[in-house]
Amino acid sequence: HPMFGSLQPTRYDLTFSLLGIPVRVLPTFWLTGVLFGFHYLNSAENGMLLLLAWIAVVFVSILVHELGHALTARAFGYPPRILLYHFGGLAMYEPHINYTAAKSILISLAGPAAGFLLFGICYLLRPALPDDQVAREALWMLVWVNLFWGLVNLAPVLPLDGGHVCREVCISMSPSRGMNWALIVSIATGAAICGGFFMIQYPYGGILFGLLAVQNYMELQQRRAW
């Protein structure tokens, strides 16, 4: 369930296979990475290196996150593929046999778990890093992307991983009304996190969660109109 629109292949996509899993990277992924890291160019020293380090950290971190989803899906017998796009990544698979809420929840949680593992490994290796600005900033970027955003991603807001878990729990409790309850939780939580981000003066996060809250509200209204 991608955020904000359909994702069509382009002639400029980067495609490769990792651990037997097909990976496609849309050009908008790199563009968004540059936009979110553009402020590093304000650094009088090593500005371009810091921007390149940011893009590398985002690419590796999101790829590892999606690999967590994809490898878990494959372990359950669902052949996956990975797409990296403008607002992050997507691990896609077809749950054709023996699909349960428990398996869905495990697949959803495997992505953040992989990110936390990557953070832990990098944190343990920090004494081996050279003592320079780029290395210190790159470590902070890894903390930001894998630890902080990994925790934020567990918020019960669709289509984040925490939202998927919330949806499965709600549908298990009430097959007929569960999806509506998951959307209501998504709207309330998304709006609260949006406000929190603006309070700490982080507008990017505020805008993102505001858009997610609006997207879930619109979906809830459509479902009620059926």
Side-chain angles (χ1 to χ4, degrees):
H1 183 52
M3 285 186 278
F4 315 128
S6 61
L7 307 170
Q8 297 298 326
T10 76
R11 60 189 294 185
Y12 304 107
D13 294 353
L14 170 66
T15 58
F16 59 94
S17 180
L18 184 61
L19 301 177
I21 298 171
V23 179
R24 178 181 294 274
V25 187
L26 270 61
T28 51
F29 177 83
W30 308 112
L31 177 61
T32 305
V34 170
L35 291 175
F36 275 80
F38 197 75
H39 63 280
Y40 287 112
L41 294 178
N42 294 330
S43 174
E45 186 179 1
N46 297 321
M48 182 56 71
L49 279 177
L50 289 171
L51 176 59
L52 292 175
W54 164 255
I55 293 171
V57 165
V58 170
F59 174 69
V60 171
S61 299
I62 294 181
L63 184 58
V64 166
H65 178 104
E66 298 307 329
L67 271 175
H69 293 310
L71 290 173
T72 307
R74 189 169 69 181
F76 288 135
Y78 315 133
R81 62 191 190 278
I82 291 173
L83 176 69
L84 303 188
Y85 65 106
H86 36 284
F87 279 102
L90 202 59
M92 299 168 285
Y93 59 94
E94 296 295 332
H96 51 283
I97 53 169
N98 299 324
Y99 194 62
T100 64
K103 288 180 180 179
S104 175
I105 290 171
L106 285 174
I107 292 170
S108 293
L109 293 177
F116 295 148
L117 179 61
L118 175 61
F119 160 75
I121 292 171
C122 294
Y123 189 78
L124 290 174
L125 293 176
R126 74 190 188 284
L129 290 174
D131 186 21
D132 62 45
Q133 181 197 16
V134 175
R136 289 193 301 270
E137 285 284 348
L139 181 61
W140 170 241
M141 293 171 192
L142 279 162
V143 172
W144 180 254
V145 175
N146 291 285
L147 182 60
F148 177 74
W149 277 104
L151 291 170
V152 170
N153 188 45
L154 290 174
V157 179
L158 287 164
L160 304 181
D161 293 325
H164 289 156
V165 173
C166 178
R167 180 190 62 195
E168 293 297 335
V169 171
C170 289
I171 291 176
S172 295
M173 295 173 62
S174 174
S176 61
R177 300 282 299 169
M179 187 62 197
N180 283 9
W181 281 113
L183 289 168
I184 291 169
V185 171
S186 293
I187 295 163
T189 308
I193 295 176
C194 169
F197 272 128
F198 278 111
M199 286 180 64
I200 63 172
Q201 298 183 345
Y202 185 65
Y204 291 128
I207 291 169
L208 173 62
F209 275 89
L211 288 171
L212 292 180
V214 170
Q215 177 178 280
N216 283 296
Y217 176 78
M218 292 172 64
E219 184 171 346
L220 180 62
Q221 294 302 108
Q222 288 177 353
R223 293 181 65 86
R224 284 176 169 172
W226 291 347

